[in-house]
Every structure is written in structure tokens, then in C-alpha cells.
Amino acid sequence: MLDEEPEGGRRRHWIHPIVAQRHQKGQFHTIYNDLRQDPFKFNSYCRMSMETFDNLLLSLHPHLNFMDTCMRRSISAEQRLLVTLRFFTTDNSFASLHFEFLLGISTISGIVCHTCQVIWQRLREAVMPTPKAEDWLRIAEGFYQSAQFPNCIGALDGKHICVQKPPHSGSRYFNYKQYFSVVLMALADSNYRFVIVDIGAYGSTSDSRIFSDSRMGERLRENQLALPEPRRLPGSAGPPAPFVIMADEGFALSQHLMRPFPRRDLDERKRIFNYQLSRARRYVECAFRILSTKWRVFMSSIQMNPENATLVIQACVLLHNFTRIHDASTDADNGQNMATPVIFDHSRTGRPGAAGLAVREVYADYFCSPEGALPWQMEAIRGSR
């Protein structure tokens, strides 16, 4: 609440006269109650429904509520949450929010960072829990219903989040798109929710390297993700196939991670597989687009150090899932029976990725079979030439 004075100058006020009028003229005190009378305007202002906001506040309130002191009145949990949401939804700077809410710049900075930490601590297990076998089965059912890709447990990609250049960082954060960034690596389901995320890698690092070094990639390699046992593809009499993740050419092929066939020398069978994979992989790209559209802080450079920018990204990811659950719930909750598993032998060729090659061939054959072919796939691949 201290007045923000130019560097080198002494503070002339304990609380600046403008800031002292917060309870009479601050944005929270002047329009919050009016917004609650108009659900549409409230949704536009907070980017979530009033009911969802109230549920969120109920979850966070114990950790955002502070006691008044003899020196000053505390800032309410409602105002703390609203200030943070406005930072996310408008991309306004702390200086701009200072004039809107009549709070000190340093106070707003502290509120945003603390609220982000509370969101991550309180919501993570509720809206992005560690998946279990039944969760993977539900995700796979969703992808089969919406993208007609069986045994798919998620779409994987990385998104560069623009940040200001950290001091003395060299080129570590400078990416191939010619700006400074940290990377949000995410696995998304068919409801555009994030299942697993890894946040904060250097922008100069490739997606494949980030995934390989992440806890998510490590657990996938060591079979610690509690994936269901392989099962037969729908209508197929062939051997059970592993559950797989969809990714683009930037990732390494493996038994549980599919990437497209190389673009050179593509025959009809390979083009069909690439088409089917792209239909499933688009969900993570759409999830990123929804995230950026709702939380416009991602539309430009986040003017924070990488550690605090990571807090903002974490909070926005969880709020994305929270609003998808409360404002746009379309979950499918049906599993399928599993068949006897089959082991893809890594020792056949001795080459890294041999199991991935074998799995990709199984899926490529399936999509060319009567059981797995889509009525429009031939027209689609001819139109993409």
C-alpha cells in the first residue's frame, strides 16, 4: 500500500491520496456489486460465470483472507481474486491495474504472485490429478468418440510463452521464433483439458528434449504412468495395441508416443495414418488456443521474471481446467474391456524406436482396414495434396 515514488526519492505519503480513495473510487468497490447483478457482464469481466467464480472463491478463500490490523484494513479475498483475474484476462500491466483498483503497484504484484501460488496448491489435485488407469480409459474413450482414434490417451505439444528477457540469461530463453520464452509442455484430452503439464523449460530447447527431460517423459519411459494394458482395436481380430499419445514431428517415436510418417515418399497408407493422427493431435492445439483466448496475458510478453511467469502459467492452466469443468463439462465416462496384452519386442532390430515403428505400423494397417477406415478419409487425403 506504500506510495510508489521515483527511484532515489523519499516517500511523501504513507498512503498516496489517490490510493487512499480505494474504498470510494477503486474499481472493485464501484462496479463489483453491479457486475453481480448482470451475469453476462460478469462473465465478460472475469471470463467465467458467476457461479464458477463463487466456487473458485470458496476453494481459495481460507488462503486469501487476511486480518485487519491497527495500521490498515486488509484487502478482501474477493478483491485479491478479482485483481488476479483481471491481470490474466486483460494483459494490463501492474501500473495499469494500479490506477484501476487504486492499489500500490508492489501490492498488486504481491497479490498476483500469492494468488497464483494458492491456485496451484489448492486446485491442482482437484482439476488436474495424477491420472490412474481408469482415467486413461475415459480419455481414450473420449478420443475414440470425437476423433475416431482408438487407444489414444492424449495429444502432446509445447507452447512458447513470451516473457521479458531475464538478465544475464544469454540465449537460453531465445527460441527459434525469435523471441524470449518459457515452454508450456502439455498433454490434453478430447475435452480440451490439460492432463499433465511441464512448465518453465528454456525457450531455446527443442520440444523433444523438453519432453524427454521432463517428469512426464521420464515416467512414460519407465512405465510409471499407470497406463492400461494393451487392448485390441475396435472390430479388429489382430493383437492388442498399446495406448498411445499423439505428437508432431518434433517428438521422438516410441511405443507409447506416435508421430507422423516423414513427409517424403508418402504412400496412400501413410497419408491416411498421418491424417488420422492430425485429427487427434489437434485437440492440444485447440486447448492452447482456448487458453490464450480466455487468458489474454498470453497474447503478449509477460513482464515478469521466469519464476513468477511460471506461477502465472501454472495458475492459468488450472483455471482453464476449472472453467472447462464448471462452465463446459462434456465428459464421457465409459470404459472398454481390455484384451490380453502383447509385448512389442525391442530386441528385433536393436534400434532405438523399433517398438514405436512396430506400433505405428499396427495403427497404419488398422486405418486402412474396413474396421478402422473412415468413410471420408480418401477424399480428405486427396484434398490435402
Side-chain angles (χ1 to χ4, degrees):
M1 291 288 294
L2 294 179
D3 178 30
E4 315 292 339
E5 295 289 345
E7 293 184 7
R10 296 183 60 185
R11 299 185 186 276
R12 295 192 297 270
H13 310 280
W14 171 247
I15 300 177
H16 194 281
I18 293 178
V19 176
Q21 300 179 74
R22 169 164 58 94
H23 294 282
Q24 293 76 40
K25 299 182 179 180
Q27 196 169 101
F28 174 79
H29 297 278
T30 55
I31 69 170
Y32 177 67
N33 289 330
D34 292 336
L35 284 172
R36 294 191 66 88
Q37 305 305 314
D38 189 327
F40 178 78
K41 292 293 185 182
F42 190 95
N43 197 322
S44 298
Y45 189 81
C46 296
R47 303 297 289 166
M48 62 180 65
S49 69
M50 196 183 311
E51 182 181 358
T52 299
F53 177 88
D54 290 340
N55 289 332
L56 178 62
L57 182 62
L58 183 64
S59 299
L60 306 181
H61 190 277
H63 298 271
L64 295 181
N65 196 38
F66 294 87
M67 294 179 59
D68 294 337
T69 70
C70 60
M71 301 294 292
R72 66 184 64 161
R73 293 168 60 184
S74 65
I75 301 169
S76 67
E78 291 90 340
Q79 186 169 3
R80 288 173 175 271
L81 181 56
L82 202 67
V83 167
T84 303
L85 291 178
R86 289 302 286 172
F87 176 69
F88 294 163
T89 60
T90 63
D91 188 30
N92 284 355
S93 65
F94 293 152
S96 177
L97 293 173
H98 157 67
F99 290 106
E100 293 176 14
F101 289 91
L102 301 185
L103 293 167
I105 295 175
S106 59
T107 301
I108 291 175
S109 175
I111 286 174
V112 169
C113 291
H114 176 256
T115 306
C116 287
Q117 291 174 332
V118 172
I119 290 172
W120 182 254
Q121 294 165 1
R122 298 292 297 173
L123 296 187
R124 184 179 180 184
E125 288 301 318
V127 303
M128 198 171 61
T130 302
K132 300 177 181 178
E134 55 268 28
D135 299 316
W136 294 122
L137 287 172
R138 185 173 63 252
I139 292 171
E141 177 65 17
F143 271 103
Y144 185 61
Q145 293 297 327
S146 59
Q148 293 75 54
F149 201 114
N151 289 13
C152 174
I153 56 171
L156 178 70
D157 204 0
K159 177 176 176 60
H160 288 271
I161 308 296
C162 185
V163 298
Q164 66 178 359
K165 181 184 183 301
H168 315 297
S169 62
S171 61
R172 286 178 295 179
Y173 291 92
F174 196 69
N175 63 36
Y176 70 97
K177 298 181 179 181
Q178 307 298 302
Y179 60 83
F180 295 92
S181 66
V182 296
V183 178
L184 164 60
M185 181 67 59
L187 183 71
D189 66 13
S190 62
N191 290 319
Y192 312 108
R193 301 177 194 163
F194 298 113
V195 181
I196 304 176
V197 296
D198 180 84
I199 304 169
Y202 296 140
S204 61
T205 311
S206 68
D207 285 348
S208 180
R209 177 67 179 273
I210 293 171
F211 179 72
S212 178
D213 292 344
S214 70
R215 179 63 177 155
M216 178 181 8
E218 178 184 347
R219 293 180 65 194
L220 183 65
R221 287 194 304 274
E222 298 178 359
N223 295 317
Q224 295 180 350
L225 285 181
L227 299 184
E229 294 296 325
R231 65 181 179 184
R232 288 192 179 92
L233 302 179
S236 172
F243 287 80
V244 291
I245 293 170
M246 303 296 105
D248 61 19
E249 298 91 339
F251 294 85
L253 183 69
S254 70
Q255 179 178 347
H256 294 290
L257 196 150
M258 296 289 98
R259 55 170 284 171
F261 284 102
R263 297 182 183 182
R264 62 184 182 278
D265 302 325
L266 285 177
D267 57 23
E268 186 175 273
R269 173 174 164 276
K270 293 179 180 179
R271 290 175 65 85
I272 290 173
F273 173 83
N274 286 1
Y275 168 70
Q276 294 275 18
L277 184 146
S278 69
R279 294 183 71 247
R281 195 182 65 82
R282 65 183 177 176
Y283 285 91
V284 68
E285 296 180 348
C286 291
F288 285 148
R289 192 172 299 114
I290 294 169
L291 178 76
S292 298
T293 302
K294 180 179 289 287
W295 312 119
R296 299 185 67 84
V297 67
F298 298 124
M299 291 294 191
S300 61
S301 176
I302 300 178
Q303 298 301 302
M304 307 172 81
N305 62 48
E307 292 75 21
N308 288 339
T310 297
L311 292 177
V312 169
I313 299 167
Q314 289 176 340
C316 288
V317 164
L318 293 187
L319 290 177
H320 169 90
N321 280 10
F322 190 85
T323 56
R324 294 294 301 171
I325 292 169
H326 288 82
D327 289 341
S329 180
T330 55
D331 285 347
D333 198 17
N334 298 315
Q336 293 184 5
N337 294 328
M338 295 179 291
T340 304
V342 65
I343 303 298
F344 287 86
D345 187 5
H346 290 255
S347 63
R348 282 186 174 182
T349 64
R351 295 184 295 113
L357 291 170
V359 172
R360 186 166 64 181
E361 293 297 322
V362 169
Y363 280 95
D365 289 340
Y366 174 75
F367 290 129
C368 289
S369 69
E371 296 79 16
L374 297 177
W376 63 85
Q377 66 185 21
M378 295 305 299
E379 181 180 354
I381 65 170
R382 293 190 185 107
S384 64
R385 288 181 184 274

Coordinates of all heavy atoms in Angstrom, one line a residue, residues 74-122:
S74 N -7.4 -4.9 5.7 CA -6.8 -5.9 4.8 C -7.6 -5.9 3.5 O -8.7 -5.4 3.4 CB -6.9 -7.3 5.4 OG -8.3 -7.7 5.5
I75 N -7.0 -6.4 2.4 CA -7.7 -6.5 1.1 C -8.4 -7.8 1.1 O -7.9 -8.9 1.4 CB -6.6 -6.4 0.0 CG1 -5.9 -5.1 0.0 CG2 -7.3 -6.6 -1.4 CD1 -4.6 -5.1 -0.9
S76 N -9.7 -7.8 0.8 CA -10.5 -8.9 0.8 C -10.1 -10.0 -0.2 O -9.5 -9.7 -1.2 CB -12.0 -8.5 0.6 OG -12.2 -8.1 -0.8
A77 N -10.5 -11.2 0.1 CA -10.2 -12.4 -0.7 C -10.9 -12.1 -2.1 O -10.3 -12.5 -3.2 CB -10.7 -13.7 -0.1
E78 N -12.1 -11.6 -2.1 CA -12.8 -11.3 -3.4 C -12.0 -10.4 -4.3 O -11.8 -10.6 -5.5 CB -14.2 -10.7 -3.2 CG -15.2 -11.7 -2.5 CD -15.1 -11.7 -1.0 OE1 -14.1 -11.2 -0.5 OE2 -16.1 -12.1 -0.4
Q79 N -11.5 -9.3 -3.6 CA -10.7 -8.3 -4.4 C -9.4 -8.9 -4.9 O -8.9 -8.6 -6.0 CB -10.4 -7.1 -3.6 CG -9.8 -5.9 -4.4 CD -9.8 -4.6 -3.7 OE1 -10.2 -4.5 -2.5 NE2 -9.3 -3.6 -4.3
R80 N -8.7 -9.7 -4.1 CA -7.5 -10.3 -4.5 C -7.7 -11.2 -5.7 O -6.9 -11.2 -6.6 CB -6.9 -11.1 -3.3 CG -6.3 -10.3 -2.2 CD -5.9 -11.1 -1.0 NE -5.3 -10.3 0.0 CZ -4.0 -10.0 0.1 NH1 -3.2 -10.6 -0.8 NH2 -3.5 -9.2 1.0
L81 N -8.7 -12.0 -5.6 CA -9.0 -12.9 -6.8 C -9.4 -12.1 -8.0 O -8.9 -12.4 -9.1 CB -10.1 -13.8 -6.4 CG -10.5 -14.9 -7.4 CD1 -9.3 -15.7 -7.9 CD2 -11.7 -15.8 -6.9
L82 N -10.2 -11.0 -7.8 CA -10.6 -10.2 -9.0 C -9.4 -9.5 -9.6 O -9.3 -9.5 -10.9 CB -11.6 -9.2 -8.5 CG -12.6 -8.7 -9.7 CD1 -13.5 -9.8 -10.2 CD2 -13.4 -7.5 -9.2
V83 N -8.5 -9.0 -8.8 CA -7.3 -8.3 -9.4 C -6.5 -9.3 -10.2 O -6.0 -9.0 -11.3 CB -6.5 -7.7 -8.2 CG1 -5.1 -7.3 -8.7 CG2 -7.1 -6.5 -7.6
T84 N -6.3 -10.5 -9.6 CA -5.5 -11.5 -10.3 C -6.2 -11.9 -11.7 O -5.5 -12.1 -12.7 CB -5.4 -12.8 -9.4 OG1 -4.7 -12.4 -8.2 CG2 -4.5 -13.8 -10.1
L85 N -7.5 -12.1 -11.6 CA -8.2 -12.5 -12.9 C -8.1 -11.4 -13.9 O -8.0 -11.7 -15.1 CB -9.7 -12.8 -12.6 CG -10.0 -14.1 -11.8 CD1 -11.4 -14.2 -11.5 CD2 -9.4 -15.3 -12.5
R86 N -8.2 -10.1 -13.5 CA -8.1 -9.0 -14.4 C -6.7 -9.0 -15.0 O -6.5 -8.6 -16.2 CB -8.4 -7.7 -13.8 CG -9.9 -7.5 -13.4 CD -10.8 -7.7 -14.7 NE -10.7 -6.5 -15.5 CZ -11.2 -6.4 -16.7 NH1 -11.9 -7.4 -17.3 NH2 -11.2 -5.3 -17.4
F87 N -5.7 -9.3 -14.3 CA -4.3 -9.4 -14.8 C -4.3 -10.5 -15.9 O -3.7 -10.3 -16.9 CB -3.3 -9.7 -13.7 CG -1.9 -9.9 -14.2 CD1 -1.2 -8.8 -14.7 CD2 -1.3 -11.1 -14.2 CE1 0.1 -9.0 -15.2 CE2 0.0 -11.3 -14.6 CZ 0.7 -10.2 -15.2
F88 N -4.9 -11.6 -15.6 CA -4.9 -12.7 -16.6 C -5.7 -12.4 -17.8 O -5.3 -12.7 -19.0 CB -5.5 -14.0 -16.0 CG -4.7 -14.6 -14.8 CD1 -5.3 -15.5 -14.0 CD2 -3.4 -14.3 -14.7 CE1 -4.6 -16.1 -12.9 CE2 -2.6 -14.8 -13.6 CZ -3.2 -15.7 -12.8
T89 N -6.9 -11.7 -17.7 CA -7.8 -11.6 -18.8 C -7.6 -10.4 -19.6 O -8.1 -10.3 -20.8 CB -9.3 -11.5 -18.2 OG1 -9.4 -10.4 -17.4 CG2 -9.6 -12.8 -17.5
T90 N -6.9 -9.4 -19.1 CA -6.7 -8.1 -19.9 C -5.3 -7.9 -20.4 O -5.1 -7.0 -21.2 CB -7.1 -6.9 -19.0 OG1 -6.2 -6.8 -17.9 CG2 -8.5 -7.1 -18.5
D91 N -4.3 -8.6 -19.8 CA -2.9 -8.3 -20.1 C -2.5 -6.9 -19.7 O -1.6 -6.3 -20.2 CB -2.6 -8.5 -21.6 CG -1.1 -8.4 -21.9 OD1 -0.3 -8.8 -21.0 OD2 -0.8 -8.0 -23.0
N92 N -3.3 -6.3 -18.8 CA -2.9 -5.0 -18.3 C -1.6 -5.1 -17.4 O -1.5 -6.1 -16.7 CB -4.0 -4.4 -17.4 CG -5.1 -3.8 -18.3 OD1 -5.0 -3.8 -19.5 ND2 -6.2 -3.4 -17.7
S93 N -0.8 -4.1 -17.4 CA 0.4 -4.1 -16.6 C 0.0 -3.8 -15.1 O -1.1 -3.4 -14.8 CB 1.4 -3.0 -17.0 OG 0.8 -1.7 -16.8
F94 N 0.9 -4.1 -14.2 CA 0.6 -3.8 -12.8 C 0.4 -2.3 -12.6 O -0.4 -1.9 -11.8 CB 1.8 -4.2 -11.9 CG 1.9 -5.7 -11.8 CD1 3.2 -6.3 -11.6 CD2 0.9 -6.6 -12.0 CE1 3.3 -7.7 -11.5 CE2 1.0 -7.9 -11.9 CZ 2.2 -8.5 -11.7
A95 N 1.1 -1.5 -13.4 CA 0.9 0.0 -13.3 C -0.5 0.4 -13.8 O -1.2 1.3 -13.2 CB 1.9 0.7 -14.2
S96 N -1.0 -0.3 -14.8 CA -2.4 0.0 -15.2 C -3.4 -0.5 -14.2 O -4.4 0.3 -13.9 CB -2.7 -0.7 -16.6 OG -4.0 -0.5 -17.0
L97 N -3.2 -1.6 -13.7 CA -4.1 -2.1 -12.6 C -4.1 -1.2 -11.4 O -5.1 -1.1 -10.7 CB -3.8 -3.6 -12.2 CG -4.0 -4.6 -13.3 CD1 -3.5 -6.0 -12.9 CD2 -5.5 -4.7 -13.7
H98 N -2.9 -0.6 -11.1 CA -2.8 0.3 -10.0 C -3.8 1.4 -10.1 O -4.5 1.8 -9.1 CB -1.4 0.8 -10.0 CG -1.2 2.1 -9.3 ND1 -1.3 2.3 -7.9 CD2 -0.8 3.4 -9.8 CE1 -1.1 3.5 -7.6 NE2 -0.8 4.2 -8.7
F99 N -4.0 2.0 -11.3 CA -4.9 3.1 -11.5 C -6.4 2.6 -11.6 O -7.3 3.4 -11.3 CB -4.6 3.9 -12.7 CG -3.3 4.7 -12.6 CD1 -2.1 4.3 -13.3 CD2 -3.2 5.8 -11.8 CE1 -1.0 5.0 -13.1 CE2 -2.1 6.5 -11.7 CZ -0.9 6.1 -12.3
E100 N -6.6 1.4 -11.9 CA -8.0 0.9 -11.9 C -8.5 0.5 -10.5 O -9.6 0.9 -10.1 CB -8.0 -0.4 -12.8 CG -7.8 -0.1 -14.3 CD -7.7 -1.4 -15.1 OE1 -8.2 -2.4 -14.6 OE2 -7.3 -1.3 -16.3
F101 N -7.6 -0.2 -9.8 CA -8.1 -0.7 -8.4 C -7.6 0.2 -7.3 O -8.0 0.0 -6.1 CB -7.6 -2.1 -8.2 CG -8.3 -3.1 -9.1 CD1 -7.8 -3.5 -10.3 CD2 -9.5 -3.7 -8.6 CE1 -8.5 -4.4 -11.1 CE2 -10.1 -4.7 -9.4 CZ -9.7 -5.0 -10.6
L102 N -6.7 1.2 -7.6 CA -6.2 2.1 -6.6 C -5.5 1.3 -5.5 O -5.6 1.6 -4.3 CB -7.3 3.0 -6.0 CG -8.0 3.9 -7.0 CD1 -9.0 4.8 -6.3 CD2 -7.1 4.7 -7.9
L103 N -4.7 0.4 -5.9 CA -3.8 -0.4 -5.1 C -2.3 -0.1 -5.5 O -2.1 0.2 -6.7 CB -4.0 -1.9 -5.2 CG -5.4 -2.4 -4.6 CD1 -5.6 -3.8 -5.1 CD2 -5.4 -2.3 -3.1
G104 N -1.4 -0.1 -4.6 CA 0.0 0.1 -4.9 C 0.5 -1.0 -5.9 O 0.0 -2.1 -5.9
I105 N 1.5 -0.6 -6.8 CA 2.0 -1.5 -7.8 C 2.6 -2.7 -7.1 O 2.4 -3.8 -7.6 CB 3.0 -0.7 -8.7 CG1 2.3 0.4 -9.5 CG2 3.7 -1.7 -9.6 CD1 3.3 1.2 -10.3
S106 N 3.4 -2.5 -6.1 CA 4.1 -3.6 -5.4 C 3.0 -4.5 -4.7 O 3.2 -5.7 -4.6 CB 5.1 -3.1 -4.4 OG 4.5 -2.3 -3.4
T107 N 1.9 -3.9 -4.2 CA 0.9 -4.6 -3.6 C 0.2 -5.5 -4.6 O -0.1 -6.7 -4.4 CB -0.2 -3.7 -3.0 OG1 0.4 -2.8 -2.0 CG2 -1.3 -4.5 -2.4
I108 N -0.1 -5.0 -5.8 CA -0.7 -5.8 -6.9 C 0.2 -6.9 -7.3 O -0.2 -8.1 -7.5 CB -1.1 -4.9 -8.1 CG1 -2.2 -4.0 -7.7 CG2 -1.4 -5.7 -9.3 CD1 -2.5 -3.0 -8.8
S109 N 1.5 -6.7 -7.4 CA 2.4 -7.7 -7.8 C 2.4 -8.8 -6.8 O 2.4 -10.0 -7.1 CB 3.9 -7.1 -7.9 OG 4.8 -8.1 -8.1
G110 N 2.4 -8.5 -5.5 CA 2.4 -9.5 -4.4 C 1.1 -10.2 -4.4 O 1.1 -11.5 -4.2
I111 N 0.0 -9.6 -4.7 CA -1.3 -10.2 -4.7 C -1.4 -11.3 -5.8 O -1.8 -12.4 -5.6 CB -2.4 -9.2 -4.9 CG1 -2.7 -8.4 -3.6 CG2 -3.8 -9.9 -5.3 CD1 -3.7 -7.3 -3.7
V112 N -0.9 -10.9 -7.0 CA -1.0 -11.8 -8.2 C -0.1 -13.0 -7.9 O -0.5 -14.2 -8.1 CB -0.5 -11.1 -9.5 CG1 -0.3 -12.0 -10.6 CG2 -1.5 -10.0 -9.9
C113 N 1.1 -12.8 -7.5 CA 2.0 -14.0 -7.2 C 1.5 -14.9 -6.1 O 1.5 -16.1 -6.3 CB 3.4 -13.5 -6.9 SG 4.3 -12.7 -8.3
H114 N 1.0 -14.3 -5.1 CA 0.5 -15.1 -4.0 C -0.8 -15.9 -4.4 O -0.9 -17.1 -4.1 CB 0.2 -14.2 -2.8 CG -0.5 -15.0 -1.6 ND1 -1.8 -14.9 -1.3 CD2 0.1 -15.8 -0.7 CE1 -2.1 -15.7 -0.3 NE2 -1.0 -16.2 0.1
T115 N -1.7 -15.2 -5.1 CA -2.9 -15.9 -5.6 C -2.6 -17.0 -6.5 O -3.2 -18.1 -6.5 CB -3.8 -14.9 -6.2 OG1 -4.1 -13.8 -5.3 CG2 -5.2 -15.5 -6.6
C116 N -1.6 -16.8 -7.4 CA -1.1 -17.9 -8.3 C -0.7 -19.1 -7.5 O -1.0 -20.3 -7.8 CB 0.0 -17.4 -9.2 SG -0.6 -16.3 -10.5
Q117 N 0.1 -18.9 -6.5 CA 0.6 -20.0 -5.6 C -0.6 -20.7 -5.0 O -0.6 -21.9 -4.9 CB 1.6 -19.4 -4.6 CG 2.9 -18.9 -5.1 CD 3.7 -18.3 -4.1 OE1 3.2 -17.7 -3.1 NE2 5.1 -18.3 -4.3
V118 N -1.5 -19.9 -4.5 CA -2.7 -20.6 -3.8 C -3.5 -21.4 -4.8 O -3.9 -22.5 -4.5 CB -3.5 -19.5 -3.1 CG1 -4.8 -20.1 -2.6 CG2 -2.8 -18.8 -2.0
I119 N -3.7 -20.8 -6.0 CA -4.4 -21.6 -7.0 C -3.8 -22.9 -7.3 O -4.4 -24.0 -7.4 CB -4.6 -20.7 -8.3 CG1 -5.5 -19.6 -8.1 CG2 -5.0 -21.6 -9.5 CD1 -5.6 -18.6 -9.2
W120 N -2.4 -22.9 -7.5 CA -1.7 -24.1 -7.8 C -1.8 -25.1 -6.6 O -2.0 -26.3 -6.8 CB -0.2 -23.8 -8.1 CG 0.6 -25.0 -8.4 CD1 1.5 -25.6 -7.7 CD2 0.6 -25.7 -9.7 NE1 2.1 -26.7 -8.4 CE2 1.5 -26.7 -9.6 CE3 -0.2 -25.5 -10.9 CZ2 1.7 -27.6 -10.6 CZ3 0.0 -26.4 -11.9 CH2 1.0 -27.5 -11.8
Q121 N -1.7 -24.6 -5.4 CA -1.7 -25.5 -4.2 C -3.1 -26.1 -4.0 O -3.2 -27.3 -3.6 CB -1.2 -24.8 -3.0 CG 0.2 -24.4 -3.0 CD 0.6 -23.3 -2.0 OE1 -0.2 -22.9 -1.2 NE2 1.9 -22.9 -2.0
R122 N -4.1 -25.3 -4.2 CA -5.5 -25.7 -3.8 C -6.2 -26.4 -4.9 O -7.1 -27.3 -4.6 CB -6.3 -24.5 -3.4 CG -5.8 -23.8 -2.2 CD -5.9 -24.6 -0.9 NE -7.3 -24.8 -0.6 CZ -7.7 -25.6 0.4 NH1 -6.8 -26.3 1.1 NH2 -9.0 -25.8 0.6

